[in-house]
Amino acid sequence: MQHLLANLPIPELSPDSMDFIAAHTQMRRLKSNSILLEQGKVCDSAYFVLEGGFVCRYVDPELDIGKTINFYLNDIHPFMACVDSYFTQTPSQCELRAISDAAVLQIRKKDLDILLQTDTRLYAFYQELVVTALREENDLKLKIIAYPSEQLYRYFMAHFPSVIQRVPSKYIAELMGISPEWLSKLKRPK
């Protein structure tokens, strides 16, 4: 665990913080299509994607229909939580679903909050991480709203090629608001 933590993209941690994280995190392995967090449950943990990937999907409770709203891969947005629930500790309207066999590090929010109160460098990193994630998510939402599907697909190809390569087309199409068939047409070279 110490070796794994030493290789995470976080600032150099004090020995006390390393020991705390090692004692309060657990590694979880999930099979493809497994649900890490169900809609209606409280997101009481933050996750770091070590292997594989996940989609965050809004699930309409009345229609029981899901729509992808974000991707989390080990090389793109590896820090993961259901934001609508994590900060408020209320039931989430979203689910976190594995899109491939995956491994995550899990730390409970209450433990992370304790650690952030004692390690100012980690707290500053955490604040920067949250602001960056919110800014990137907002930027993506603006593009989803503003871009026609062809331009949005080109944007993904230019800025998030691993999403196109690794995320099943069903979830990409959901996020783009198009059918999988239309996405297939966009993927064909012209």
Side-chain angles (χ1 to χ4, degrees):
M1 181 64 82
Q2 293 287 355
H3 175 71
L4 181 62
L5 294 173
N7 290 311
L8 292 179
I10 56 179
E12 187 175 324
L13 298 172
S14 70
D16 288 344
S17 290
M18 286 286 280
D19 290 343
F20 185 93
I21 292 172
H24 292 89
T25 57
Q26 68 175 24
M27 183 164 21
R28 295 187 56 190
R29 294 201 174 275
L30 294 102
K31 293 287 185 194
S32 181
N33 211 32
S34 300
I35 296 177
L36 178 61
L37 180 77
E38 292 180 34
Q39 179 267 341
K41 302 290 184 188
V42 173
C43 183
D44 67 351
S45 297
Y47 304 93
F48 182 79
V49 181
L50 299 170
E51 299 170 8
F54 292 82
V55 290
C56 180
R57 299 176 77 226
Y58 169 80
V59 180
D60 184 302
E62 292 177 15
L63 301 175
D64 197 32
I65 296 172
K67 178 158 170 74
T68 300
I69 60 172
N70 211 342
F71 305 112
Y72 299 98
L73 305 172
N74 58 333
D75 61 343
I76 298 174
H77 305 134
F79 292 97
M80 172 175 71
C82 285
V83 177
D84 70 323
S85 174
Y86 181 79
F87 294 107
T88 61
Q89 291 298 279
T90 58
S92 180
Q93 296 178 53
C94 301
E95 69 178 15
L96 294 174
R97 181 179 295 267
I99 57 169
S100 60
D101 289 351
V104 296
L105 275 183
Q106 175 181 3
I107 186 166
R108 302 259 181 232
K109 182 181 185 308
K110 64 182 175 97
D111 295 327
L112 183 56
D113 288 346
I114 291 169
L115 179 60
L116 293 174
Q117 290 174 8
T118 61
D119 188 324
T120 57
R121 284 184 25 200
L122 188 58
Y123 178 78
F125 172 75
Y126 174 80
Q127 291 293 345
E128 181 182 327
L129 182 72
V130 169
V131 168
T132 299
L134 291 173
R135 191 178 60 247
E136 288 174 350
E137 188 170 327
N138 186 62
D139 184 55
L140 178 59
K141 300 302 182 246
L142 291 173
K143 286 177 176 50
I144 290 170
I145 292 166
Y147 285 179
S149 55
E150 198 169 303
Q151 187 177 3
L152 185 56
Y153 180 75
R154 284 194 310 268
Y155 174 79
F156 278 119
M157 287 297 294
H159 298 280
F160 302 108
S162 66
V163 166
I164 300 298
Q165 295 162 0
R166 297 174 48 203
V167 175
S169 292
K170 167 189 174 179
Y171 299 117
I172 297 169
E174 276 183 5
L175 182 95
M176 293 176 68
I178 61 176
S179 69
E181 295 78 18
W182 184 248
L183 178 61
S184 179
K185 287 180 184 179
L186 293 175
K187 285 183 171 185
R188 283 190 214 125
K190 293 181 179 181

